[in-house]
Amino acid sequence: MLLVVLAGMLLAGFSLPGWHPFHVSASEIEYNSKQQRLEISTKIFTDDFEAILSRVYKTPVDFSNKALKAKMDTLVTRYLTTHLSIQSNGRAQQLKLFGWEIDHEAVYVYTVVTNASLNTGNILVENTILYDLFSDQMNIVHFIVDGTRKSNKLSYPERKLQFRF
C-alpha cells in the first residue's frame, strides 16, 4: 500500500524534472451507468510515453510540438488501445480516444467507451502500458461504479486485474 501512495505522490508532481525513481502509470475508469459509457483517464510520465511511442512506431515523438498534434493523436490511439483493455463477460469494450493533454511532467490521455456493455460483477482490465520499456513498471488502476471506487496495481509482468462491484 505504501508503494501505491508513493507512486501516487510521484504522479501528482513530487518528482524532479526529467527524473523519477518509479516507472508508473495511473488509470481511472469510471462507469457512467445512465449513459452506458466508460470514461477513462490515463496518466503517464511524458518522457516515458515519448520514449515508448518513438521506439514502438520508429518515428520522432514530441507532445509539446503543436504541428505534430494529428500524428500524436494517431500514435496515442494505437498505443493505448493495444496496451489497455476492458472486458466484461468476455466481451471487449472498444476504447476511443477523446483527447490528451500535457500537465507538468505527465500526459493525460482521455478515452471513452460508448454503449458500454458492462456487467459490474465481472470486469477484467488488462494493462501493459510501458511494459515494453521498463521491467519495473507499475500500473495503478482505479475503477469507479456508482460512486464506489476500487483500486489495485499491476507490477510487471502482471497483466490483468479483476473487478467486481
Side-chain angles (χ1 to χ4, degrees), residues 25-30 38-44 49 57 76-87 92-96 109-113 123-132 139-143 154 159-161 163:
S25 79
S27 296
E28 183 170 285
I29 306 164
E30 185 164 4
L38 286 169
E39 300 163 349
I40 303 134
S41 169
T42 302
K43 187 174 185 180
I44 306 168
F49 204 16
Y57 302 114
V76 167
T77 298
R78 285 178 63 192
Y79 187 82
L80 211 65
T81 58
T82 57
H83 290 83
L84 178 65
S85 68
I86 303 162
Q87 295 181 27
Q93 307 298 302
Q94 298 303 311
L95 276 68
K96 294 180 183 160
V109 180
Y110 305 105
T111 50
V112 296
V113 175
I123 302 166
L124 181 68
V125 175
E126 185 169 357
N127 186 335
T128 59
I129 293 171
L130 299 180
Y131 276 15
D132 31 8
N139 295 322
I140 300 167
V141 179
H142 307 287
F143 210 111
L154 292 165
R159 303 172 65 89
K160 298 178 182 179
L161 291 171
F163 290 94

Side-chain angles (χ1 to χ4, degrees), residues 21-55:
F22 295 107
H23 299 114
V24 64
S25 79
S27 296
E28 183 170 285
I29 306 164
E30 185 164 4
Y31 180 54
N32 181 329
S33 58
K34 288 182 182 177
Q35 297 181 342
Q36 290 189 307
R37 183 171 70 194
L38 286 169
E39 300 163 349
I40 303 134
S41 169
T42 302
K43 187 174 185 180
I44 306 168
F45 282 113
T46 305
D47 58 338
D48 297 341
F49 204 16
E50 287 179 340
I52 194 58
L53 292 176
S54 179
R55 178 188 287 182

